[in-house]
Amino acid sequence: MRTNSVNVVRIPTNGPGDVSGLLSLIQQGKIDPRSIVAILGKTEGNGGVNDFTREYAVSALSAALAPYVDLPSQRVEQRIAFVMSGGTEGVLSPHLTVFTRDDVSDRGSEVISGKRLSIGMAHTRDFLPEEIGRDAQIRETAKAVAAAMAQAAIVDPQDVHFVQIKCPLLTSDRIEAAMARGNETATNSAYGSMAYSRGASALGVAVALGEIEGEIEDKDVLRRFDLFSSVASTSAGIELMHNVVIVLGNSASSAAPFAIGHAVMRDAIDSAAVIDALKSVGLHTEHDSKPSTAARELVNIFAKAEAAPSGCIRGFRHVMLEDTDISSTRHARAAVGGLIGGLSGTGAVYVSGGAEHQGPSGGGPVAVIARLSDDQSD
Amino acid sequence: MRTNSVNVVRIPTNGPGDVSGLLSLIQQGKIDPRSIVAILGKTEGNGGVNDFTREYAVSALSAALAPYVDLPSQRVEQRIAFVMSGGTEGVLSPHLTVFTRDDVSDRGSEVISGKRLSIGMAHTRDFLPEEIGRDAQIRETAKAVAAAMAQAAIVDPQDVHFVQIKCPLLTSDRIEAAMARGNETATNSAYGSMAYSRGASALGVAVALGEIEGEIEDKDVLRRFDLFSSVASTSAGIELMHNVVIVLGNSASSAAPFAIGHAVMRDAIDSAAVIDALKSVGLHTEHDSKPSTAARELVNIFAKAEAAPSGCIRGFRHVMLEDTDISSTRHARAAVGGLIGGLSGTGAVYVSGGAEHQGPSGGGPVAVIARLSDDQSD
Amino acid sequence: MRTNSVNVVRIPTNGPGDVSGLLSLIQQGKIDPRSIVAILGKTEGNGGVNDFTREYAVSALSAALAPYVDLPSQRVEQRIAFVMSGGTEGVLSPHLTVFTRDDVSDRGSEVISGKRLSIGMAHTRDFLPEEIGRDAQIRETAKAVAAAMAQAAIVDPQDVHFVQIKCPLLTSDRIEAAMARGNETATNSAYGSMAYSRGASALGVAVALGEIEGEIEDKDVLRRFDLFSSVASTSAGIELMHNVVIVLGNSASSAAPFAIGHAVMRDAIDSAAVIDALKSVGLHTEHDSKPSTAARELVNIFAKAEAAPSGCIRGFRHVMLEDTDISSTRHARAAVGGLIGGLSGTGAVYVSGGAEHQGPSGGGPVAVIARLSDDQSD
Amino acid sequence: MRTNSVNVVRIPTNGPGDVSGLLSLIQQGKIDPRSIVAILGKTEGNGGVNDFTREYAVSALSAALAPYVDLPSQRVEQRIAFVMSGGTEGVLSPHLTVFTRDDVSDRGSEVISGKRLSIGMAHTRDFLPEEIGRDAQIRETAKAVAAAMAQAAIVDPQDVHFVQIKCPLLTSDRIEAAMARGNETATNSAYGSMAYSRGASALGVAVALGEIEGEIEDKDVLRRFDLFSSVASTSAGIELMHNVVIVLGNSASSAAPFAIGHAVMRDAIDSAAVIDALKSVGLHTEHDSKPSTAARELVNIFAKAEAAPSGCIRGFRHVMLEDTDISSTRHARAAVGGLIGGLSGTGAVYVSGGAEHQGPSGGGPVAVIARLSDDQSD
């Protein structure tokens, strides 16, 4: 018996404050605003500490959706998870991906075969600045992942294909507040704290899904890159102090006409992994001779990118970590965005930077959502 | 009868001033310094007006090669063409590609089948600042291309697969010098002049190879992007006032164990074109099920990248042209470098930015040099 | 008889979306929201084409003030002029300057001596993309300046000390729209169009105030830098297609406890001009041995900065125009902000970049508003 | 009895590889190349990890001076100290300052009154990557400062006005080398290591000059900013693994027609300190009503700049530390360069970024060298 369904819509934007595409779909009845549970977006800022396009987008979305959900603008975020990832370098194109979830009656759903896309969400408590990038953030995140899986009716960790987390970062103010309490933060650098927060959050996913055995210590964060989650994608933003966890996977309880799959890029030029991820949901690259399965259609790709901490990719030196003009996250998003854009035929994909403990060192997870053909979904 | 042979060696570098790899190969007898005709390099600067890594690399190479060619350091550049393209964004890796050319006796070369890699060079006179980006630069470049083809013993324009040009740019000083003569330059922006110079040089190639019919006017430069060369690659640098032209193609007179081919990327995500270019010299992508021909081996890929002037790639907006923090050439190199790096399995490829009139608008040429297996080359 | 009064308040912000300081002053009764006529702000973006902190700040201010002025959020901007200048490089500090204007009864104002701060506003019609940077923008701006002077009750152009203009820029879309109409825009570069729009707007001020004699032609814009206004400050933003004009000067009709004065920096290191501007309203630099007049107090400084187009400052080369990593406007704001911050003792000053035709080439206007002591203002 | 003399010449450059000004002065007999002991330069790179303009300048200077000092190019640096500081943001202008030293006979020098400019140099041993930013670097630097003072014939620490140090930084390779030895470096960030190296080197100066009492521990570096030297200026570069120490001060043994003085900027807008430093050698700011002493003439100003780690300057927030697009050192140099340029009337001053433990937190030392008038120097 199918008990819920999910809808996923990708909407291009003309700027971080552009909500016209979303409102148009709402007005056309194609999106029910009361069913929206999460919106993942790529915005065109620098993706760094001072990327205000993320909070601007959230502010614009909140104001636009407030009347539909009967909440004041500033409380919309408590109901809908907004995850804005800054940085659309190279061929990447700013866009939103809107996820809705509905309860469905049993009728008709018995003919659906296989597991289908499901979504679940949870969040941690607020962290103290000195907890960011450390054990507390890892443990609380793991708890939230378990809660989100339960909500998505996903039992088997193997059915989880993407866990998006929004996590906090440190600012001068927050670092000072910790100091005033006599505590040291994991780093004194605002930019550097984004890596710590992303890393600890990803380790939390790995713990929840059983991808890591044994204990993780504070000092393993950003050091032991052999510890990682193959499905975690974490994004740091200045606008919150807790982690928001969104689990995407396939569930026997879902009646959605979508499926999700993933692969793990072992480095930033791992084209085989991207192709594997496409194939895992029945899609093929455009230059592939074989036709893609029936009428399956790409909805979006979700990937993480990072500059290999070793300074090398397959034996050749890269300069991303030594560039004082462009942050390494921007370099990495541009490159991986170029590869995924080329293989999928579109730059409107969600490639996010900073893949610490998200996939192997220098690599990262790549997940694909496909819309199934009508035959398959009825 | 084969009359010349060419050798091509790719050498990674540890920095713009690093000549140790080259010197080591010379000392091992693998490169004869007196046979070097051209060195194309990717250096790790910003690729813009103030990218001094290009002239630093040329200065270091000149000083290193001077004793071998019995010339004072500052005159080495008159004998060997150095083309340094700045910008190794994303997965791109700094390296040099050294081309040597030798006369060969007839012995053994009669068993070689097909056309083989050949190289020819020429240069224009010095330009006045006010000639850059205009008719004079187009015409003089076309003449130099013809001269370089003759030197390479290439008769059919179809056998030309890559024409690398090094061309000048404007600086405040040069713009003022023109003004002092009562002349206006094509642009008052130093950065902007790089595009004008690259564009006019590429149009010169198109004229020489018969890719364009009819007259080109000054106002067509950077406007009529339907006029382009499919094999031109032009790079602007502050260190010269003339164009240096290097023609790469296949010639029946060459006994070299290498072949070159090319394709044209119609946009920055044209993976099919990259694969076609690889296939044109018998290579396949690494995730391809079919094995690559015999023991053919990739030597290097030469490609141009640019941000689509339309602001869109396959219907989706890109932000490269509206980013005040990162120049569009850096964005484009990073993205196309990611795609080519992914398909070829290495970031040590020559991807150069600014593809005005080099391939269609938003796209660019991609050429591949492969080493033939021993069987094929004897 | 004094007929109006102006209040000026400087408010630090914690980010582009921060309206808490303004709301707090409104709640304390220190600012009457219905009297607000203009808000000038410095926001912490890059000040370039893709600086979304400006529109984010406007969006936040509109949402915050909407309930006080009984207008829907998106219409607040029609009543209050918001001018956000992006870029707080170096010591510059993000802040807002709020201007209110009230009608005053005659009572008490007869004892006020001298002219006092007054403000007037007007705006032009929307421009077509192809009008930006050209004659139409110059003429329409001149008309709007005259209208704003009348509103401020300023008769003598000598009493105008600062004219802030917010003007549009070109985007890829707008350039294409012009092309589709068969018209060419002044430039094809989005970033470059900011200079054209600022320049033409400044020339409009010069025309209105009689600072230029004779005709100005389209080709003079960004060429004849001997034509300039000594009081114009123009700022380009993506969010509008018309010019908004704010005239600040001293008027015999004003009962405000403030005065404004200005000087003209002849280059970016003209400390004497900054000191003159401070002295013009009775203020002195902090290291000055003489005490400042009575209890006069600095409210804010408004200045324009630019990289000398000649490439030199007092005979020494600067690199601002040849830097592909940092735009010249960011360089110039940082440097002039450092000088003004050092002489005034605070980084919370309004230094805006891009001073084309605003002051002499390489220089720019610098205006100072001082609060008069109680004795002086009663 | 005067035993040595020093000459100081400031030479503008047209690029990092430009040695024409220096060679011209040598050919005119105004600089004796065999007397050159140190060259301090400002080059126009980003001042960060990948600023190759520093090593390019050193390479060009070495090649140019080699024939004059009878050394192969690569050994010139062992005889002459080259300190290239990258980053000429804003009004700063690329230039070299050449220091020569000669033994002088006693004749005539007895009529010289007061202490005069003297220079001394020393260097430490090479450091291991894991020693950078830690105790070993502090102690070895202190020893080298004492040795350099002795060479300069300066006895009283109060006579030391500027200690320029060139120190190493970490790269991915160096960090890995330490890891391979089982040791951790002070930081894993190449960019971050520049701060550690500068900080420890400055603390070494403070120890040598008695500016700090008691022990310094590894954990104080970049933490206890109350510990600092008032005369240290340290610059990190990729091209060396040891510290080079140059002491500038006034000595009774010097017969040079120059004097040096200094003041300490307490923050980045401390104009009073800049004026004090100018006054300390008899110079005044150009807008000062009092004429400067006799014919004293500014030779150069040497200052350090940094973004206040507190995030505030005199109560107002700055954004330098939270900008992912422009590094804080570039922001700080631009701002302080603007102030010093404005007060001294020239942008050709040596303002270097990263003032950790060099002056108080957020501030830095500012030293001035003046040429004395003929009357004074005979």
Side-chain angles (χ1 to χ4, degrees), chain C residues 125 127-137 169-170 173-187 196 218 241:
Chain C
R125 61 168 171 82
F127 297 114
L128 291 170
E130 54 268 44
E131 290 180 324
I132 291 173
R134 291 177 172 153
D135 183 54
Q137 196 178 19
L169 55 84
L170 295 174
D173 281 356
R174 292 168 187 173
I175 293 167
E176 274 191 49
M179 277 183 181
R181 274 189 299 272
N183 294 333
E184 276 187 27
T185 47
T187 173
Y196 274 96
D218 279 1
M241 280 306 288

Side-chain angles (χ1 to χ4, degrees), chain C residues 138-208:
Chain C
I138 298 172
R139 272 184 294 110
E140 294 298 317
T141 302
K143 279 195 247 170
V145 171
M149 280 177 68
Q151 196 192 59
I154 298 174
V155 181
D156 185 350
Q158 300 283 352
D159 284 329
V160 174
H161 291 286
F162 201 67
V163 180
Q164 176 62 48
I165 290 178
K166 188 181 172 183
C167 55
L169 55 84
L170 295 174
T171 59
S172 303
D173 281 356
R174 292 168 187 173
I175 293 167
E176 274 191 49
M179 277 183 181
R181 274 189 299 272
N183 294 333
E184 276 187 27
T185 47
T187 173
N188 284 329
S189 150
Y191 184 73
S193 76
M194 300 175 79
Y196 274 96
S197 185
R198 289 187 300 248
S201 300
L203 289 171
V205 177
V207 166

Side-chain angles (χ1 to χ4, degrees), chain A residues 10 91-95 337 341 344-350, chain B residues 269 313 316-317:
Chain A
R10 182 179 60 178
V91 301
L92 294 173
S93 183
H95 70 278
S344 66
T346 176
V349 290
Y350 182 97
Chain B
I269 57 174
I313 301 172
F316 286 100
R317 181 172 70 101

Side-chain angles (χ1 to χ4, degrees), chain D residues 83 141 145 163-167 201 205 233-235 243-245:
Chain D
V83 181
T141 302
V145 170
V163 180
Q164 176 62 46
I165 290 178
K166 188 181 171 182
C167 56
S201 300
V205 177
S233 164
T234 63
S235 224
N243 276 17
V244 176
V245 173

Side-chain angles (χ1 to χ4, degrees), chain B:
Chain B
M1 196 179 88
R2 307 277 164 165
T3 59
N4 71 74
S5 187
V6 168
N7 190 19
V8 195
V9 186
R10 184 178 60 179
I11 307 169
T13 56
N14 285 324
D18 177 25
V19 294
S20 61
L22 173 59
L23 290 180
S24 168
L25 289 171
I26 288 174
Q27 281 145 20
Q28 293 169 44
K30 293 188 178 161
I31 290 178
D32 174 0
R34 282 156 308 188
S35 301
I36 299 174
V37 289
I39 301 182
L40 269 66
K42 283 299 307 176
T43 61
E44 56 205 281
N46 60 27
V49 179
N50 63 330
D51 182 350
F52 298 100
T53 62
R54 291 179 304 228
E55 64 171 88
Y56 179 25
V58 168
S59 162
L61 287 167
S62 294
L65 292 173
Y68 294 102
V69 295
D70 285 326
L71 285 172
S73 188
Q74 61 275 23
R75 287 188 49 209
V76 173
E77 214 177 337
Q78 290 164 20
R79 172 164 165 165
I80 299 173
F82 297 116
V83 181
M84 297 298 134
S85 161
T88 56
E89 293 80 7
V91 300
L92 294 173
S93 183
H95 70 279
L96 302 172
T97 307
V98 179
F99 292 88
T100 62
R101 187 175 54 200
D102 282 294
D103 293 334
V104 292
S105 69
D106 178 69
R107 193 141 28 126
S109 71
E110 72 275 12
V111 303
I112 296 175
S113 63
K115 293 172 180 171
R116 296 295 176 81
L117 180 66
S118 187
I119 186 169
M121 287 191 303
H123 61 81
T124 68
R125 63 169 171 80
D126 275 11
F127 297 114
L128 291 170
E130 54 268 44
E131 290 179 326
I132 292 173
R134 289 173 174 158
D135 182 55
Q137 196 178 17
I138 298 172
R139 273 184 294 110
E140 293 298 317
T141 301
K143 278 194 247 171
V145 171
M149 279 177 67
Q151 197 192 58
I154 298 174
V155 182
D156 184 350
Q158 300 283 352
D159 283 328
V160 174
H161 291 286
F162 201 66
V163 180
Q164 176 62 48
I165 290 178
K166 189 180 171 184
C167 55
L169 55 81
L170 296 174
T171 58
S172 304
D173 282 357
R174 293 169 186 172
I175 294 166
E176 274 191 47
M179 278 183 180
R181 274 189 298 274
N183 294 332
E184 276 187 28
T185 47
T187 172
N188 284 330
S189 150
Y191 183 74
S193 77
M194 300 175 80
Y196 274 97
S197 184
R198 288 187 301 247
S201 300
L203 288 171
V205 177
V207 166
L209 300 181
E211 299 178 275
I212 295 177
E213 287 176 18
E215 286 297 294
I216 302 170
E217 295 178 75
D218 280 3
K219 65 179 176 50
D220 297 336
V221 179
L222 302 190
R223 298 270 161 121
R224 284 201 49 202
F225 286 122
D226 58 309
L227 304 176
F228 62 84
S229 166
S230 290
V231 294
S233 163
T234 64
S235 223
I238 203 167
E239 67 278 15
L240 77 176
M241 281 306 286
H242 61 281
N243 276 19
V244 176
V245 173
I246 303 172
V247 164
L248 291 170
N250 295 321
S251 163
S253 298
S254 167
F258 300 96
I260 185 168
H262 85 278
V264 181
M265 295 176 74
R266 71 195 153 101
D267 59 27
I269 57 174
D270 190 355
S271 53
V274 178
I275 292 171
D276 283 349
L278 288 164
K279 285 183 179 166
S280 76
V281 289
L283 298 171
H284 293 277
T285 58
E286 53 172 27
H287 52 81
D288 204 316
S289 46
K290 289 167 286 183
S292 72
T293 307
R296 292 199 170 203
E297 194 186 301
L298 175 67
V299 176
N300 209 341
I301 301 179
F302 301 85
K304 290 295 294 192
E306 77 173 358
S310 70
C312 277
I313 301 172
R314 301 197 196 171
F316 286 100
R317 181 172 70 101
H318 70 77
V319 305
M320 300 187 251
L321 295 171
E322 261 124 50
D323 190 344
T324 301
D325 298 314
I326 300 182
S327 69
S328 65
T329 50
R330 304 202 75 176
H331 274 289
R333 271 191 303 269
V336 172
L339 176 58
I340 294 179
L343 292 174
S344 66
T346 175
V349 290
Y350 183 97
V351 177
S352 171
E356 303 84 357
H357 303 292
Q358 300 149 66
S361 185
V366 52
V368 182
I369 295 179
R371 170 182 281 277
L372 309 182
S373 65
D374 287 344
D375 283 353
Q376 293 167 308
S377 55
D378 284 332

Side-chain angles (χ1 to χ4, degrees), chain D residues 59-280:
Chain D
S59 163
L61 287 167
S62 295
L65 292 173
Y68 294 102
V69 296
D70 285 327
L71 285 173
S73 188
Q74 61 274 25
R75 288 189 48 210
V76 172
E77 214 176 338
Q78 289 164 22
R79 173 164 167 166
I80 300 173
F82 297 115
V83 181
M84 297 298 134
S85 160
T88 56
E89 293 81 8
V91 301
L92 294 173
S93 184
H95 70 278
L96 302 171
T97 307
V98 179
F99 292 87
T100 63
R101 186 175 55 200
D102 282 294
D103 293 335
V104 292
S105 70
D106 178 70
R107 189 139 33 120
S109 73
E110 73 276 12
V111 303
I112 296 175
S113 63
K115 292 173 180 170
R116 296 295 175 83
L117 180 66
S118 187
I119 186 170
M121 287 191 304
H123 61 81
T124 68
R125 62 168 170 82
D126 274 10
F127 297 114
L128 291 170
E130 54 267 45
E131 290 179 325
I132 291 174
R134 289 174 173 157
D135 183 54
Q137 196 178 18
I138 299 172
R139 274 184 294 108
E140 294 298 317
T141 302
K143 278 195 247 171
V145 170
M149 281 178 66
Q151 196 193 58
I154 299 175
V155 182
D156 185 348
Q158 301 283 351
D159 285 328
V160 174
H161 292 286
F162 200 67
V163 180
Q164 176 62 46
I165 290 178
K166 188 181 171 182
C167 56
L169 54 83
L170 295 174
T171 59
S172 305
D173 281 356
R174 293 169 187 172
I175 293 165
E176 274 191 48
M179 277 182 181
R181 274 189 299 273
N183 293 332
E184 276 187 26
T185 48
T187 172
N188 284 330
S189 150
Y191 183 74
S193 76
M194 300 176 81
Y196 274 95
S197 185
R198 289 187 301 248
S201 300
L203 289 170
V205 177
V207 167
L209 300 181
E211 299 178 275
I212 296 176
E213 287 177 16
E215 287 297 294
I216 302 171
E217 294 178 75
D218 279 2
K219 67 178 176 52
D220 297 336
V221 178
L222 301 190
R223 299 271 161 118
R224 285 203 46 204
F225 286 122
D226 58 308
L227 304 175
F228 63 85
S229 166
S230 292
V231 295
S233 164
T234 63
S235 224
I238 204 169
E239 67 278 15
L240 77 176
M241 280 306 289
H242 61 282
N243 276 17
V244 176
V245 173
I246 303 172
V247 163
L248 291 169
N250 296 318
S251 163
S253 298
S254 168
F258 301 96
I260 186 169
H262 84 280
V264 180
M265 295 177 73
R266 71 194 152 101
D267 58 27
I269 57 174
D270 190 355
S271 52
V274 179
I275 292 170
D276 284 350
L278 287 164
K279 285 183 180 166
S280 76

